[in-house]
Amino acid sequence: MDSPATEIARRLAASAEAVCRRYLSNGRREGRYWLVGDVRNTPGRSLYVRLSAGADNRGDAGKWTDAQSGDHGDLLDIIAATCGHTRLRDTLNEARQFLSLPRPTVIDERRRRPSKAPTGTPEAAQRLWAASRPIGQSIVIRYLAKRAINDLPDTGSLRFHPRCYYRASKDDAPDVRSAWPAIIAAVTDASRTITGVHRTWLDPATASKADVAYPRRAMGHLLGSGVWFGDPGPVMTAGEGIETILSLRQVMPAMPMVAGLSAAHLAALNLPTDVRCLYVACDQDPAGEGALATLTDRYAPQGVLVLPLRPRLDDFNSDLIVHGGSQLAAYVRVQLRATDAVRFMLR
């Protein structure tokens, strides 16, 4: 049986926009997101709340992330912060009042929210990385080829594990396999120290993402770090997903790039001190635009020129698959400074 807090959080998520309008009144809706400055209802765009489940119906409505701090949580956390609560009991009472629910019995009040599952340590991430092998001719190559990614320069940050453990969640089928082939991506800081890994589980029969509830997961410490391709230099590109960055490297193989793995972690990325021009490959959604705005606010005062790279479709991998490499190159070229186009793009 779910705890009272879990059930109330689920009910709040079903009315996510109404909760945001009440407790995050200084924000506004953009698409499927509610944008505001922070969890305390400060005006701005750093924090975004998912108002509805994604296209895959994974049920992530009500979840929020602060792109500036990297903090995340659910709508109970929002209510606790905006109301200044220090006890879960007070937050639950406030939420029940908002939802017009009856007050609980004494036994209900004694129950507590379950603690969040650990996400793994940097040491565990480093052990998994050490146990993995070069991608070689593995299923990783087949998976990327299906995404129209065929040229793979400087992909030492990617490895392959033939049987990577998958911890089933309540959203998985009861008979889900506990191990799948997986892409293992090294998450490193600007000095290239491994702080975590990102796993993408693959189906060996189809070379597509495995049929599990959450085929992508990270472990270790991600905040400020990313998956790097090429040696950092004064000019570089940062984006969200690994496939987004690898798609851009099909037409700009000499450009140093880093994948932040999410909009929140992209916004929190720590750049090397010698970066003077940063291109931000934005996904076409409010979270991507929020990451661009946050990176601009962080680095422009330090003398870094922050420029957007925007895809035609939802992201650059979709552009590559639908329009092909030549059209992707033409579309990207006009968004670069002339000197950067000459230096980094394929002739």
Side-chain angles (χ1 to χ4, degrees):
M1 181 184 295
D2 288 338
S3 71
T6 301
E7 177 58 26
I8 289 175
R10 186 179 298 119
R11 289 172 179 259
L12 290 171
S15 303
E17 184 171 354
V19 176
C20 290
R21 291 188 181 279
R22 170 75 172 272
Y23 296 99
L24 297 176
S25 56
N26 287 323
R28 61 192 177 93
R29 177 168 184 158
E30 290 193 15
R32 293 189 317 216
Y33 298 89
W34 188 270
L35 303 183
V36 72
D38 58 32
V39 73
R40 294 173 181 82
N41 197 26
T42 303
R45 300 171 52 88
S46 178
L47 184 144
Y48 54 95
V49 184
R50 177 67 71 88
L51 299 179
S52 60
D56 54 3
N57 198 30
R58 293 298 186 203
D60 51 359
K63 296 299 177 65
W64 59 270
T65 299
D66 190 324
Q68 179 67 42
S69 66
D71 292 339
H72 56 90
D74 60 20
L75 292 172
L76 280 174
D77 300 314
I78 294 287
I79 293 174
T82 56
C83 294
H85 295 155
T86 59
R87 299 186 305 173
L88 176 61
R89 176 183 302 179
D90 296 333
T91 303
L92 293 179
N93 285 339
E94 173 72 22
R96 289 187 181 100
Q97 184 176 0
F98 174 82
L99 294 167
S100 300
L101 296 176
R103 291 183 63 84
T105 62
V106 173
I107 189 170
D108 284 338
E109 285 288 9
R110 290 175 181 169
R111 303 184 66 174
R112 292 293 181 262
R113 298 176 74 187
S115 60
K116 293 181 180 179
T119 58
T121 64
E123 293 75 20
Q126 290 165 9
R127 288 195 296 270
L128 179 57
W129 178 253
S132 303
R133 61 185 69 165
I135 57 177
Q137 298 301 312
S138 69
I139 189 177
V140 176
I141 303 298
R142 294 164 52 205
Y143 167 77
L144 294 175
K146 293 182 71 170
R147 307 292 291 263
I149 299 168
N150 298 296
D151 297 324
L152 299 171
D154 299 317
T155 51
S157 56
L158 300 181
R159 287 187 179 178
F160 164 67
H161 196 292
R163 287 183 53 82
C164 184
Y165 173 68
Y166 176 79
R167 187 182 74 250
S169 73
K170 60 182 178 60
D171 298 317
D172 280 295
D175 59 346
V176 67
R177 289 170 48 178
S178 61
W180 301 79
I183 304 172
I184 310 297
V187 180
T188 64
D189 58 21
S191 66
R192 297 304 180 92
T193 299
I194 294 178
T195 62
V197 293
H198 183 270
R199 298 154 292 175
T200 303
W201 282 276
L202 304 175
D203 185 335
T206 64
S208 300
K209 287 195 291 291
D211 186 17
V212 295
Y214 303 101
R216 301 179 189 267
R217 283 178 179 163
M219 64 187 297
H221 295 169
L222 274 63
L223 194 63
S225 300
V227 181
W228 291 82
F229 300 92
D231 294 326
V235 181
M236 61 171 291
T237 295
E240 290 186 37
I242 293 172
E243 289 88 346
T244 288
I245 291 300
L246 290 178
S247 296
L248 286 170
R249 287 183 68 78
Q250 303 304 289
V251 298
M252 293 191 293
M255 172 80 78
M257 298 189 188
V258 59
L261 302 176
S262 72
H265 288 99
L266 172 60
L269 186 68
N270 292 327
L271 299 179
T273 56
D274 63 343
V275 174
R276 290 294 172 264
C277 178
L278 174 68
Y279 289 99
V280 181
C282 310
D283 287 0
Q284 290 280 36
D285 56 29
E289 292 298 322
L292 170 64
T294 300
L295 286 168
T296 302
D297 291 343
R298 288 179 63 198
Y299 287 109
Q302 300 178 31
V304 178
L305 177 63
V306 181
L307 300 172
L309 289 178
R310 291 189 171 93
R312 293 183 181 181
L313 304 175
D314 57 322
D315 61 37
F316 283 105
N317 187 238
S318 295
D319 282 6
L320 178 63
I321 293 172
V322 174
H323 298 298
S326 296
Q327 289 193 41
L328 174 62
Y331 190 67
V332 168
R333 187 183 302 275
V334 298
Q335 299 185 66
L336 298 179
R337 298 182 301 178
T339 54
D340 294 333
V342 171
R343 179 180 177 188
F344 295 112
M345 296 204 67
L346 291 173
R347 301 295 192 275

